[in-house]
Amino acid sequence: MTANTSTIFSTNSGINEINLKTLINELLIILSERERDIIVKRYGIGQEKTKSTLALIGSKYNITRERVRQMEKTALDKLRRTAERTTLHIIGEFAY
């Protein structure tokens, strides 16, 4: 992770508030460009407000829907492992 946790978490009256946008962007850094694009398009993250189908993403990269699904699974596994290995354990709950 490039940002320290103080930029992601802020304490207000003893309660941690999470800036989810920053947190998601920090987690997505670990993915390859193609994996990041697949996750962003599949889940409608950031500028991508609508979720894309496997077929639509596959046509962009000239790969099958099954290959997109495999790459999505690999990317989600990477995100889960990263969340579990860092102080961002709360993200692990969203990844399942």
Side-chain angles (χ1 to χ4, degrees):
M1 302 276 156
T2 58
N4 65 34
T5 55
S6 65
T7 62
I8 297 171
F9 295 94
S10 64
T11 303
N12 184 10
S13 302
I15 300 172
N16 285 331
E17 295 176 2
I18 302 171
N19 181 337
L20 287 178
K21 183 177 180 182
T22 302
L23 189 56
I24 290 169
N25 287 335
E26 288 296 318
L27 282 174
L28 292 176
I29 288 173
I30 66 163
L31 302 177
S32 70
E33 184 176 333
R34 185 181 277 191
E35 290 171 333
R36 188 176 319 114
D37 190 48
I38 289 170
I39 295 298
V40 165
K41 288 184 182 325
R42 284 291 287 157
Y43 294 96
I45 298 172
Q47 301 297 327
E48 299 287 332
K49 297 296 181 193
T50 59
K51 298 177 182 180
S52 297
T53 64
L54 295 172
L56 187 61
I57 297 169
S59 67
K60 176 183 177 185
Y61 289 107
N62 198 26
I63 57 178
T64 65
R65 292 177 305 188
E66 177 60 19
R67 183 63 185 132
V68 174
R69 189 199 60 75
Q70 292 168 354
M71 294 179 74
E72 176 187 12
K73 181 184 180 315
T74 299
L76 290 174
D77 288 344
K78 283 182 184 179
L79 293 172
R80 268 189 211 103
R81 282 192 308 270
T82 300
E84 290 169 356
R85 290 180 184 158
T86 66
T87 58
L88 307 175
H89 296 290
I90 193 167
I91 293 305
E93 297 174 18
F94 295 107
Y96 292 102

